[in-house]
C-alpha cells in the first residue's frame, strides 16, 4: 500500500508541477523554449517509469495506459506549441498549449487514480 501512495504522490506532484510551470510561463511571458525543454526532460522519465510501474502491477493497467497516453499527448501539444512560438513565431494551433497543459494534468490525475484502483488481473 505504501508503494501505491508513492505513485499517487508522484502523480500529484506532477500535476502540481505542470500547473505551476504553466502559471510561471504566463507570469513572465518569456522562456517558451526553455519551458518546453524542461517539460520534455521531466516527462520523458515519467513515461518510462509509469510503464515500468504498470508492468510491476502496482497500478491498474488499463487506467495507467490511458494516463501514459494522455501525458504523452499533452506534452506533445504543450511543448510543440511553445517550441513553434519560440522558433517560428507561430502557434501549433489556437489554444494548443493550454489544451496540452490540461491534457497533461488529466494524465497525471489519472495516473494517481490508476494507483488507487486495485490492480486486479486485467490483460493487456
Amino acid at each position: 500500500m505504501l508503494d501505491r501512495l508513492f505513485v499517487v504522490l508522484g502523480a500529484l506532484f506532477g500535476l502540481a508541477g505542470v500547473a505551476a510551470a504553466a502559471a510561471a510561463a504566463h507570469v513572465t511571458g518569456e522562456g517558451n523554449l526553455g519551458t518546453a525543454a524542461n517539460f520534455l526532460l521531466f516527462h520523458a522519465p515519467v513515461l518510462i517509469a509509469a510503464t515500468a510501474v504498470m508492468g510491476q502491477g502496482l497500478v491498474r493497467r488499463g487506467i495507467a495506459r490511458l494516463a501514459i497516453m494522455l501525458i504523452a499527448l499533452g506534452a506533445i501539444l504543450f511543448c510543440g506549441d511553445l517550441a513553434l512560438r519560440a522558433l517560428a513565431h507561430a502557434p501549433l494551433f489556437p489554444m494548443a498549449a493550454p489544451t496540452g497543459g490540461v491534457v497533461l494534468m488529466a494524465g497525471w490525475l489519472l495516473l494517481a487514480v490508476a494507483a488507487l484502483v486495485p490492480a486486479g488481473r486485467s490483460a493487456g
Side-chain angles (χ1 to χ4, degrees), residues 40-107:
L40 290 171
L41 287 171
F42 64 73
H43 282 92
V46 169
L47 296 177
I48 296 164
T51 303
V53 166
M54 185 176 62
Q56 292 297 312
L58 295 175
V59 293
R60 185 65 170 220
R61 181 175 291 275
I63 298 171
R65 186 170 284 140
L66 179 58
I68 294 166
M69 286 189 264
L70 288 175
I71 290 169
L73 175 62
I76 290 166
L77 292 173
F78 185 81
C79 297
D81 188 63
L82 292 184
L84 276 175
R85 286 175 186 273
L87 299 172
H89 305 289
L92 183 60
F93 58 84
M95 300 297 290
T99 300
V102 169
V103 171
L104 268 169
M105 289 186 276

